[in-house]
Amino acid sequence: MQLAGVLEEDDLIVAGDDLVRRKRPLTSMDRLVAEIAAASGRRFVTVARNALDQIRSGTDSPMETRLRRIIVRGGLPEPVIGNTVYNRAGEFIGTPDLAYVDEKIAIEYQGQVHQTNPKVYAEDAIRREQFEEIGWLVIPVYKDHVYLRPAWIVSRISSALHKRAARVQ
């Protein structure tokens, strides 16, 4: 509520997602809902309610939230957050940032650590191979894509969804 009159909508959603993030959340969705319900009649409560409808628990980073907002604003279905993927032997492979489960598309935001830390880079490469071995398509997205090429992101994912949906039918 305190930020509703100060932040743009996407920034407010990023802040909300961060409050209910996957690791060490600061609150719960139930608590956010209750707080906004209790704020009825206050200034900017409508802004806060609109943002609340788009806040998702279980995210890992602000850039993941921004990426999800680009996808949804681009007219694509909302991807799943926190879908766990296992190989054919039932061994854990990973939890993509965002996923279209039926189409087996994993969307991974690649922050700076994914590019500059050799250990993280190597782990990402192995995980990507493991995803591909069981038929998943991994779409990496970088900071410049989010800030400079959001239309490309939507186009890339839309194309992949259409190709993958045709295979599923």
Side-chain angles (χ1 to χ4, degrees), residues 7-33:
L7 297 179
E8 296 290 328
E9 183 178 59
D10 277 355
D11 294 327
L12 190 57
I13 294 165
V14 166
D17 275 12
D18 192 53
L19 290 172
V20 293
R21 64 186 174 252
R22 183 170 63 101
K23 295 178 183 172
R24 297 180 305 281
L26 300 173
T27 192
S28 68
M29 282 300 295
D30 289 342
R31 180 82 190 266
L32 285 180
V33 169

mmCIF file of all heavy atoms in Angstrom, residues 7-33:
data_model
loop_
_atom_site.group_PDB
_atom_site.id
_atom_site.type_symbol
_atom_site.label_atom_id
_atom_site.label_comp_id
_atom_site.label_asym_id
_atom_site.label_seq_id
_atom_site.Cartn_x
_atom_site.Cartn_y
_atom_site.Cartn_z
ATOM 1 N N LEU A 7 5.146 3.901 -7.167
ATOM 2 C CA LEU A 7 5.749 3.092 -8.220
ATOM 3 C C LEU A 7 4.840 2.921 -9.429
ATOM 4 O O LEU A 7 3.616 2.918 -9.298
ATOM 5 C CB LEU A 7 6.089 1.697 -7.676
ATOM 6 C CG LEU A 7 7.112 1.608 -6.553
ATOM 7 C CD1 LEU A 7 7.286 0.153 -6.138
ATOM 8 C CD2 LEU A 7 8.435 2.211 -6.970
ATOM 9 N N GLU A 8 5.447 2.717 -10.575
ATOM 10 C CA GLU A 8 4.714 2.312 -11.772
ATOM 11 C C GLU A 8 4.199 0.887 -11.542
ATOM 12 O O GLU A 8 4.732 0.148 -10.709
ATOM 13 C CB GLU A 8 5.648 2.331 -12.996
ATOM 14 C CG GLU A 8 6.181 3.700 -13.353
ATOM 15 C CD GLU A 8 5.094 4.620 -13.907
ATOM 16 O OE1 GLU A 8 4.154 4.113 -14.565
ATOM 17 O OE2 GLU A 8 5.181 5.835 -13.654
ATOM 18 N N GLU A 9 3.202 0.477 -12.315
ATOM 19 C CA GLU A 9 2.564 -0.818 -12.097
ATOM 20 C C GLU A 9 3.561 -1.984 -12.105
ATOM 21 O O GLU A 9 3.550 -2.812 -11.194
ATOM 22 C CB GLU A 9 1.479 -1.072 -13.147
ATOM 23 C CG GLU A 9 0.752 -2.390 -12.910
ATOM 24 C CD GLU A 9 -0.357 -2.633 -13.901
ATOM 25 O OE1 GLU A 9 -0.056 -2.680 -15.118
ATOM 26 O OE2 GLU A 9 -1.504 -2.773 -13.460
ATOM 27 N N ASP A 10 4.422 -2.073 -13.124
ATOM 28 C CA ASP A 10 5.362 -3.198 -13.172
ATOM 29 C C ASP A 10 6.300 -3.200 -11.975
ATOM 30 O O ASP A 10 6.617 -4.260 -11.436
ATOM 31 C CB ASP A 10 6.170 -3.187 -14.477
ATOM 32 C CG ASP A 10 5.420 -3.839 -15.624
ATOM 33 O OD1 ASP A 10 4.318 -4.389 -15.412
ATOM 34 O OD2 ASP A 10 5.943 -3.814 -16.753
ATOM 35 N N ASP A 11 6.749 -2.024 -11.547
ATOM 36 C CA ASP A 11 7.639 -1.960 -10.381
ATOM 37 C C ASP A 11 6.909 -2.386 -9.107
ATOM 38 O O ASP A 11 7.491 -3.035 -8.237
ATOM 39 C CB ASP A 11 8.215 -0.551 -10.221
ATOM 40 C CG ASP A 11 9.142 -0.174 -11.351
ATOM 41 O OD1 ASP A 11 9.833 -1.071 -11.890
ATOM 42 O OD2 ASP A 11 9.189 1.025 -11.718
ATOM 43 N N LEU A 12 5.633 -2.050 -9.027
ATOM 44 C CA LEU A 12 4.831 -2.461 -7.878
ATOM 45 C C LEU A 12 4.657 -3.984 -7.867
ATOM 46 O O LEU A 12 4.754 -4.633 -6.820
ATOM 47 C CB LEU A 12 3.470 -1.764 -7.918
ATOM 48 C CG LEU A 12 2.586 -1.880 -6.688
ATOM 49 C CD1 LEU A 12 3.293 -1.367 -5.433
ATOM 50 C CD2 LEU A 12 1.284 -1.113 -6.917
ATOM 51 N N ILE A 13 4.456 -4.570 -9.032
ATOM 52 C CA ILE A 13 4.326 -6.024 -9.146
ATOM 53 C C ILE A 13 5.653 -6.705 -8.804
ATOM 54 O O ILE A 13 5.681 -7.714 -8.113
ATOM 55 C CB ILE A 13 3.822 -6.414 -10.546
ATOM 56 C CG1 ILE A 13 2.392 -5.890 -10.742
ATOM 57 C CG2 ILE A 13 3.877 -7.925 -10.756
ATOM 58 C CD1 ILE A 13 1.922 -5.883 -12.175
ATOM 59 N N VAL A 14 6.754 -6.125 -9.268
ATOM 60 C CA VAL A 14 8.079 -6.662 -8.919
ATOM 61 C C VAL A 14 8.252 -6.659 -7.400
ATOM 62 O O VAL A 14 8.700 -7.649 -6.807
ATOM 63 C CB VAL A 14 9.208 -5.855 -9.610
ATOM 64 C CG1 VAL A 14 10.564 -6.172 -8.993
ATOM 65 C CG2 VAL A 14 9.225 -6.127 -11.114
ATOM 66 N N ALA A 15 7.887 -5.550 -6.762
ATOM 67 C CA ALA A 15 8.010 -5.458 -5.296
ATOM 68 C C ALA A 15 7.114 -6.494 -4.616
ATOM 69 O O ALA A 15 7.538 -7.161 -3.662
ATOM 70 C CB ALA A 15 7.654 -4.046 -4.829
ATOM 71 N N GLY A 16 5.898 -6.659 -5.123
ATOM 72 C CA GLY A 16 4.983 -7.647 -4.551
ATOM 73 C C GLY A 16 5.500 -9.064 -4.706
ATOM 74 O O GLY A 16 5.463 -9.859 -3.755
ATOM 75 N N ASP A 17 5.991 -9.395 -5.921
ATOM 76 C CA ASP A 17 6.566 -10.728 -6.133
ATOM 77 C C ASP A 17 7.721 -10.979 -5.173
ATOM 78 O O ASP A 17 7.900 -12.089 -4.670
ATOM 79 C CB ASP A 17 7.080 -10.869 -7.575
ATOM 80 C CG ASP A 17 6.006 -11.296 -8.566
ATOM 81 O OD1 ASP A 17 4.811 -11.272 -8.232
ATOM 82 O OD2 ASP A 17 6.385 -11.636 -9.708
ATOM 83 N N ASP A 18 8.514 -9.944 -4.937
ATOM 84 C CA ASP A 18 9.661 -10.098 -4.049
ATOM 85 C C ASP A 18 9.207 -10.393 -2.613
ATOM 86 O O ASP A 18 9.866 -11.142 -1.895
ATOM 87 C CB ASP A 18 10.550 -8.859 -4.096
ATOM 88 C CG ASP A 18 11.881 -9.099 -3.410
ATOM 89 O OD1 ASP A 18 12.573 -10.084 -3.763
ATOM 90 O OD2 ASP A 18 12.227 -8.312 -2.503
ATOM 91 N N LEU A 19 8.103 -9.828 -2.211
ATOM 92 C CA LEU A 19 7.589 -10.081 -0.859
ATOM 93 C C LEU A 19 7.184 -11.538 -0.666
ATOM 94 O O LEU A 19 7.269 -12.073 0.439
ATOM 95 C CB LEU A 19 6.389 -9.171 -0.554
ATOM 96 C CG LEU A 19 6.698 -7.695 -0.370
ATOM 97 C CD1 LEU A 19 5.397 -6.902 -0.276
ATOM 98 C CD2 LEU A 19 7.562 -7.465 0.865
ATOM 99 N N VAL A 20 6.730 -12.181 -1.748
ATOM 100 C CA VAL A 20 6.263 -13.570 -1.653
ATOM 101 C C VAL A 20 7.153 -14.516 -2.469
ATOM 102 O O VAL A 20 6.711 -15.552 -2.952
ATOM 103 C CB VAL A 20 4.770 -13.692 -2.074
ATOM 104 C CG1 VAL A 20 3.888 -12.968 -1.071
ATOM 105 C CG2 VAL A 20 4.538 -13.174 -3.485
ATOM 106 N N ARG A 21 8.421 -14.157 -2.576
ATOM 107 C CA ARG A 21 9.382 -14.928 -3.384
ATOM 108 C C ARG A 21 9.536 -16.358 -2.852
ATOM 109 O O ARG A 21 9.119 -16.678 -1.742
ATOM 110 C CB ARG A 21 10.726 -14.211 -3.405
ATOM 111 C CG ARG A 21 11.374 -14.119 -2.036
ATOM 112 C CD ARG A 21 12.646 -13.273 -2.075
ATOM 113 N NE ARG A 21 13.170 -13.079 -0.756
ATOM 114 C CZ ARG A 21 13.126 -11.929 -0.095
ATOM 115 N NH1 ARG A 21 12.578 -10.872 -0.635
ATOM 116 N NH2 ARG A 21 13.650 -11.842 1.112
ATOM 117 N N ARG A 22 10.194 -17.174 -3.655
ATOM 118 C CA ARG A 22 10.375 -18.591 -3.315
ATOM 119 C C ARG A 22 11.277 -18.782 -2.092
ATOM 120 O O ARG A 22 10.947 -19.525 -1.170
ATOM 121 C CB ARG A 22 10.961 -19.341 -4.519
ATOM 122 C CG ARG A 22 11.119 -20.839 -4.286
ATOM 123 C CD ARG A 22 11.479 -21.578 -5.565
ATOM 124 N NE ARG A 22 12.754 -21.181 -6.115
ATOM 125 C CZ ARG A 22 13.884 -21.872 -5.977
ATOM 126 N NH1 ARG A 22 13.900 -22.979 -5.297
ATOM 127 N NH2 ARG A 22 15.003 -21.448 -6.527
ATOM 128 N N LYS A 23 12.420 -18.149 -2.097
ATOM 129 C CA LYS A 23 13.372 -18.313 -0.997
ATOM 130 C C LYS A 23 13.200 -17.180 0.017
ATOM 131 O O LYS A 23 13.264 -16.013 -0.327
ATOM 132 C CB LYS A 23 14.808 -18.315 -1.527
ATOM 133 C CG LYS A 23 15.108 -19.499 -2.429
ATOM 134 C CD LYS A 23 16.517 -19.427 -2.963
ATOM 135 C CE LYS A 23 16.802 -20.567 -3.933
ATOM 136 N NZ LYS A 23 18.092 -20.417 -4.596
ATOM 137 N N ARG A 24 12.990 -17.566 1.246
ATOM 138 C CA ARG A 24 12.842 -16.627 2.353
ATOM 139 C C ARG A 24 11.817 -15.517 2.072
ATOM 140 O O ARG A 24 12.149 -14.332 2.108
ATOM 141 C CB ARG A 24 14.197 -16.033 2.742
ATOM 142 C CG ARG A 24 15.192 -17.063 3.266
ATOM 143 C CD ARG A 24 16.540 -16.488 3.644
ATOM 144 N NE ARG A 24 17.206 -15.738 2.595
ATOM 145 C CZ ARG A 24 17.869 -16.259 1.573
ATOM 146 N NH1 ARG A 24 17.951 -17.556 1.436
ATOM 147 N NH2 ARG A 24 18.458 -15.493 0.677
ATOM 148 N N PRO A 25 10.568 -15.882 1.796
ATOM 149 C CA PRO A 25 9.543 -14.852 1.555
ATOM 150 C C PRO A 25 9.338 -13.997 2.803
ATOM 151 O O PRO A 25 9.482 -14.486 3.929
ATOM 152 C CB PRO A 25 8.298 -15.659 1.224
ATOM 153 C CG PRO A 25 8.530 -17.000 1.831
ATOM 154 C CD PRO A 25 10.026 -17.229 1.787
ATOM 155 N N LEU A 26 9.012 -12.752 2.586
ATOM 156 C CA LEU A 26 8.798 -11.827 3.694
ATOM 157 C C LEU A 26 7.356 -11.856 4.194
ATOM 158 O O LEU A 26 7.076 -11.381 5.297
ATOM 159 C CB LEU A 26 9.187 -10.409 3.276
ATOM 160 C CG LEU A 26 10.647 -10.252 2.859
ATOM 161 C CD1 LEU A 26 10.903 -8.867 2.294
ATOM 162 C CD2 LEU A 26 11.570 -10.531 4.046
ATOM 163 N N THR A 27 6.456 -12.380 3.367
ATOM 164 C CA THR A 27 5.051 -12.500 3.747
ATOM 165 C C THR A 27 4.405 -13.545 2.849
ATOM 166 O O THR A 27 5.091 -14.219 2.085
ATOM 167 C CB THR A 27 4.324 -11.138 3.668
ATOM 168 O OG1 THR A 27 3.050 -11.243 4.305
ATOM 169 C CG2 THR A 27 4.166 -10.656 2.238
ATOM 170 N N SER A 28 3.096 -13.658 2.928
ATOM 171 C CA SER A 28 2.351 -14.621 2.110
ATOM 172 C C SER A 28 1.328 -13.884 1.250
ATOM 173 O O SER A 28 0.971 -12.733 1.533
ATOM 174 C CB SER A 28 1.630 -15.622 3.009
ATOM 175 O OG SER A 28 0.598 -14.955 3.729
ATOM 176 N N MET A 29 0.816 -14.569 0.238
ATOM 177 C CA MET A 29 -0.241 -13.982 -0.584
ATOM 178 C C MET A 29 -1.475 -13.710 0.271
ATOM 179 O O MET A 29 -2.114 -12.663 0.119
ATOM 180 C CB MET A 29 -0.594 -14.904 -1.757
ATOM 181 C CG MET A 29 0.378 -14.859 -2.902
ATOM 182 S SD MET A 29 0.567 -13.230 -3.683
ATOM 183 C CE MET A 29 -1.065 -12.970 -4.371
ATOM 184 N N ASP A 30 -1.788 -14.616 1.178
ATOM 185 C CA ASP A 30 -2.950 -14.401 2.049
ATOM 186 C C ASP A 30 -2.821 -13.110 2.845
ATOM 187 O O ASP A 30 -3.784 -12.364 3.001
ATOM 188 C CB ASP A 30 -3.135 -15.589 3.005
ATOM 189 C CG ASP A 30 -3.629 -16.846 2.306
ATOM 190 O OD1 ASP A 30 -4.145 -16.735 1.169
ATOM 191 O OD2 ASP A 30 -3.493 -17.939 2.888
ATOM 192 N N ARG A 31 -1.630 -12.863 3.332
ATOM 193 C CA ARG A 31 -1.390 -11.631 4.117
ATOM 194 C C ARG A 31 -1.495 -10.396 3.229
ATOM 195 O O ARG A 31 -2.078 -9.383 3.635
ATOM 196 C CB ARG A 31 -0.009 -11.721 4.771
ATOM 197 C CG ARG A 31 0.382 -10.523 5.606
ATOM 198 C CD ARG A 31 -0.229 -10.593 7.006
ATOM 199 N NE ARG A 31 -0.046 -9.346 7.711
ATOM 200 C CZ ARG A 31 0.959 -9.078 8.528
ATOM 201 N NH1 ARG A 31 1.876 -10.000 8.744
ATOM 202 N NH2 ARG A 31 1.045 -7.917 9.116
ATOM 203 N N LEU A 32 -0.964 -10.467 2.011
ATOM 204 C CA LEU A 32 -1.090 -9.333 1.081
ATOM 205 C C LEU A 32 -2.559 -9.054 0.781
ATOM 206 O O LEU A 32 -3.001 -7.894 0.792
ATOM 207 C CB LEU A 32 -0.345 -9.609 -0.225
ATOM 208 C CG LEU A 32 1.171 -9.519 -0.217
ATOM 209 C CD1 LEU A 32 1.717 -9.834 -1.610
ATOM 210 C CD2 LEU A 32 1.644 -8.151 0.228
ATOM 211 N N VAL A 33 -3.309 -10.099 0.510
ATOM 212 C CA VAL A 33 -4.743 -9.950 0.226
ATOM 213 C C VAL A 33 -5.451 -9.296 1.414
ATOM 214 O O VAL A 33 -6.247 -8.366 1.246
ATOM 215 C CB VAL A 33 -5.376 -11.321 -0.119
ATOM 216 C CG1 VAL A 33 -6.892 -11.242 -0.148
ATOM 217 C CG2 VAL A 33 -4.838 -11.836 -1.443
#
